[in-house]
Amino acid sequence: MPEDAQRLIDTSTAHPARRYDYWLGGKDNFAADRRSADAIARLAPLVPTWARENRWFMRRVVAYLAREAGIRQFLDIGTGIPTSPNLHEVVQDIAPDSRVLYVDNDPIVLAHARALLTSGPLGRTAYLDADLADPDAILNSDEVAATLDFTQPVALSLIAVLHFFHDAQDPHGIVRRLVGALPSGSYLAISHNTWDYLPATKRAALESAVKDDGQCRERAEFTRFFDGLELVDPGVVVLSEWRRDDTADLPLPEAWEISAYGAVARVP
């Protein structure tokens, strides 16, 4: 890892991307991340199942977009630490000329992205160090201009990132700004945690444990992210149920085991 990235990494404070990496069985995490992840897992023992299903959701979504919707450009915000196969590997396996721009604002993600998120020879993969909280900085960046053509459809991927935003940060407004920049025929894909399937006592304990990180949202609040768009079948569902195939060779989890919604919609 480059020395400049090492200096910027705060190993004393848990970070969502590194906590997620830990749940997925990765090695790019620190003691603070593991303590935080274990504390959450004690309240929600199936959180590693959620992490795995969330990753599979992303892969099914982008495969659908590349293969069936014909999308060749992807803007993935909240990338996280690369876990193979990553988004560009999935889509470039289907369409080698696909172009992917990854966006995140964590230095450890940046370091790994520069080393691992490399494109095939026919496509393009780039990385932007930016924050979803500032959508205009993303849209006006040199990296977007060099990687994506906004006269052609773009898939905007917001996987397991919006639940880190409190309502006061206006996540729905952030999504509207980003979607408003996309041409007709583009797509929006989101996964987002929810408390809808948990009993009240469990919900209260988990809300207290993660309140500083953001907030989960109910179905109606999640669905609002897609206002004005055309939902792709099966619509808003528990993310493990979105066009699930049999390749995982595992039983379909119950909704409460995942406690997260997933959906994809087309920009008219």
Side-chain angles (χ1 to χ4, degrees):
M1 184 183 304
E3 290 186 6
D4 58 338
Q6 291 183 26
R7 287 194 297 269
L8 290 170
I9 295 171
D10 178 6
T11 63
S12 65
T13 302
H15 189 280
R18 301 195 302 261
R19 190 166 55 207
Y20 186 47
D21 174 73
Y22 174 64
W23 284 327
L24 285 172
K27 301 182 184 301
D28 297 300
N29 49 76
F30 300 96
D33 307 307
R34 295 189 287 272
R35 285 194 299 270
S36 174
D38 288 342
I40 293 172
R42 282 193 291 273
L43 294 170
L46 293 168
V47 71
T49 302
W50 161 81
R52 182 189 66 219
E53 290 287 343
N54 184 70
R55 202 69 184 171
W56 287 345
F57 168 76
M58 180 276 290
R59 294 172 188 169
R60 293 197 304 274
V61 165
V62 298
Y64 162 80
L65 292 173
R67 183 178 291 114
E68 299 185 42
I71 299 297
R72 297 294 179 264
Q73 302 188 103
F74 295 81
L75 177 58
D76 181 59
I77 305 178
T79 297
I81 296 169
T83 302
S84 186
N86 217 303
L87 189 154
H88 76 284
E89 295 173 304
V90 176
V91 300
Q92 289 184 352
D93 185 58
I94 297 167
D97 58 337
S98 296
R99 303 165 72 86
V100 179
L101 179 60
Y102 290 110
V103 182
D104 211 307
N105 67 334
D106 178 52
I108 196 170
V109 174
L110 174 61
H112 284 277
R114 285 172 172 164
L116 300 176
L117 300 182
T118 55
S119 174
L122 299 181
R124 180 179 175 89
T125 301
Y127 185 90
L128 171 62
D129 185 11
D131 194 335
L132 176 58
D134 189 354
D136 288 315
I138 296 173
L139 293 170
N140 296 325
S141 67
D142 292 340
E143 288 82 356
V144 162
T147 309
L148 304 176
D149 176 6
F150 274 63
T151 68
Q152 300 298 318
V154 176
L156 171 61
S157 172
L158 299 169
I159 303 299
V161 63
L162 289 167
H163 49 236
F164 294 115
F165 286 74
H166 292 93
D167 284 344
Q169 296 171 280
D170 192 20
H172 291 93
I174 290 171
V175 172
R176 282 196 302 272
R177 174 69 184 99
L178 290 167
V179 172
L182 303 180
S184 175
S186 295
Y187 285 82
L188 170 65
I190 303 176
S191 67
H192 194 299
N193 289 356
T194 184
W195 303 132
D196 283 357
Y197 298 97
L198 298 179
T201 53
K202 178 76 75 173
R203 171 175 178 163
L206 280 166
E207 282 183 326
S208 177
V210 301
K211 66 180 186 303
D212 293 335
D213 285 337
Q215 68 182 80
C216 295
R217 291 183 169 85
E218 298 176 354
R219 181 187 178 92
E221 295 172 313
F222 174 76
T223 304
R224 276 184 56 210
F225 287 116
F226 300 94
D227 281 356
L229 307 183
E230 301 166 352
L231 283 166
V232 172
D233 286 340
V236 173
V237 293
V238 175
L239 63 84
S240 55
E241 298 175 1
W242 197 91
R243 297 187 175 228
R244 186 183 178 91
D245 54 32
D246 296 327
T247 58
D249 196 29
L250 288 172
L252 179 67
E254 297 290 336
W256 64 268
E257 295 178 284
I258 304 302
S259 292
Y261 288 120
V264 178
R266 182 181 182 275
V267 178

